[in-house]
Amino acid sequence: MSKLTKRFLGIAAFLCFPMVTNAQTPITGFYPEKNKFTIATMYSNKSYDKFYRGKTLSDGNPANLGDISSSIISLYGEYGVNDWLSAVVTAPYISIKSDNGNPDPVHNQSRQSGLQDLSLFMKARFLEKKYDNGSKITLGGATGVTFPLGNYEGNGILSIGNKSTTIDGIVVAQYTTKINLFTEIQAGYSARSNSDFKIPNAFLYGFKVGYYNDWIYTHAKLGIQDSNSGYDIGSAEFGSNGGPVALSQTQVDYTNLSFDVYVPVYQQNIGVSAGYGFNLSGRNFGKERGLSIGVVYKN
């Protein structure tokens, strides 16, 4: 791997973060060199006009708010503590609104904005094995905590998050060929807590294929959340007979597909990124699609 490729490869984790802020973590199978850092910001816009009520896709959303759109400004930083251990921090500012101006019945507003959650992760490489044909396999893992930054309302359709404190554990394996084609698999568990409501925990999975060289990095990623409990919107248990009425107590599952690309534009230190993502299937989740653009600095 050339020095130029090493210089900007750390942006791979940043590209995983902004499109779906619900659960997917900013962790990849790439590891920065000691004392190297990446600072980046990205703007994303996503929207949906269809919603999975349980597993049934329907027009609109449970509160009849019409089309719902979100603008997200994501901040990201990663620092190489040494060649096998790095620290990652992320924080998004989110603005979400009902395009027809109808208020959310929970907080009685048609728009919510604010800092969502701060995420802090430590990522370690446990194993790296190189082969005579130029390929290599790496195995690593990460653990992190995510907690609300603001006193936002976490139970509405137009809430910027579910206001939970989350502890995540992830393992990641990556195979890279001599010509820098790579595949990556992630699996993890997300344990969530909220002082007011029981929020379902979830399994997280990621599958990725990509390519990089000195002048471009690109990947396609499948991101999956599989909650292990919760209620379906519209079911007999939801909002009746003493059942829950908080949306944060629903079983939220989804499968999303995203495509991202990064190119350096100035001395390999500064680059730009772009991405597109959309929802393939879901449960108690909006059928989202969105675009993103970003600026990255790496020393």
Side-chain angles (χ1 to χ4, degrees):
M1 183 185 300
S2 72
K3 292 182 179 180
L4 292 179
T5 300
K6 288 181 179 180
R7 182 175 292 276
F8 76 79
L9 200 52
I11 56 83
F14 171 65
L15 293 178
C16 295
F17 173 63
M19 190 57 68
V20 180
T21 57
N22 301 75
Q24 297 299 306
T25 58
I27 300 301
T28 75
F30 294 107
Y31 302 85
E33 296 176 281
K34 182 178 180 179
N35 296 329
K36 298 296 183 179
F37 64 86
T38 300
I39 298 175
T41 184
M42 181 175 285
Y43 171 80
S44 303
N45 184 273
K46 62 180 183 177
S47 62
Y48 67 90
D49 55 10
K50 295 181 182 294
F51 191 91
Y52 292 95
R53 299 171 186 256
K55 294 182 178 181
T56 302
L57 183 63
S58 59
D59 292 330
N61 54 73
N64 297 315
L65 299 177
D67 294 359
I68 292 177
S69 59
S70 304
S71 297
I72 306 167
I73 299 175
S74 305
L75 300 177
Y76 169 90
E78 182 173 18
Y79 175 74
V81 179
N82 53 45
D83 290 340
W84 59 270
L85 180 68
S86 64
V88 179
V89 57
T90 62
Y93 179 92
I94 299 177
S95 177
I96 183 171
K97 67 176 182 177
S98 164
D99 288 347
N100 65 12
N102 290 340
D104 188 301
V106 175
H107 47 68
N108 200 34
Q109 296 181 8
S110 62
R111 179 194 294 265
Q112 288 276 282
S113 301
L115 287 171
Q116 189 204 41
D117 303 329
L118 179 68
S119 295
L120 303 170
F121 279 83
M122 295 299 294
K123 181 178 71 173
R125 180 175 57 216
F126 305 140
L127 174 70
E128 181 177 71
K129 183 172 178 59
K130 297 180 179 179
Y131 297 92
D132 294 339
N133 62 5
S135 64
K136 69 175 180 179
I137 291 177
T138 59
L139 178 65
T143 185
V145 60
T146 301
F147 53 88
L149 285 174
N151 188 30
Y152 60 81
E153 168 58 56
N155 293 311
I157 288 287
L158 298 180
S159 294
I160 64 174
N162 61 18
K163 206 176 181 181
S164 67
T165 298
T166 302
I167 297 177
D168 293 320
I170 308 112
V171 292
V172 54
Q174 186 184 92
Y175 175 75
T176 306
T177 70
K178 182 179 180 180
I179 60 172
N180 297 335
L181 288 169
F182 69 91
T183 59
E184 184 178 297
I185 299 175
Q186 292 191 25
Y189 190 74
S190 183
R192 301 157 187 180
S193 63
N194 181 297
S195 59
D196 298 319
F197 300 99
K198 176 177 172 58
I199 297 177
N201 300 332
F203 293 96
L204 307 177
Y205 306 99
F207 306 92
K208 190 188 305 178
V209 294
Y211 172 76
Y212 60 87
N213 59 30
D214 289 343
W215 306 108
I216 191 171
Y217 170 95
T218 185
H219 71 228
K221 180 185 178 183
L222 197 67
I224 300 170
Q225 172 174 297
D226 183 14
S227 298
N228 59 9
S229 63
Y231 298 87
D232 283 330
I233 295 173
S235 67
E237 296 85 2
F238 186 82
S240 62
N241 299 320
V245 294
L247 290 175
S248 58
Q249 292 178 276
T250 57
Q251 181 173 346
V252 177
D253 301 337
Y254 59 74
T255 300
N256 295 304
L257 180 63
S258 60
F259 302 91
D260 297 279
V261 62
Y262 167 86
V263 292
V265 296
Y266 180 72
Q267 295 184 352
Q268 300 293 324
N269 294 101
I270 298 175
V272 296
S273 64
Y276 175 70
F278 56 94
N279 172 267
L280 295 174
S281 64
R283 183 172 185 169
N284 304 306
F285 190 74
K287 192 169 177 61
E288 297 176 333
R289 68 274 184 191
L291 296 166
S292 64
I293 56 173
V295 178
V296 184
Y297 173 81
K298 182 172 173 61
N299 78 331

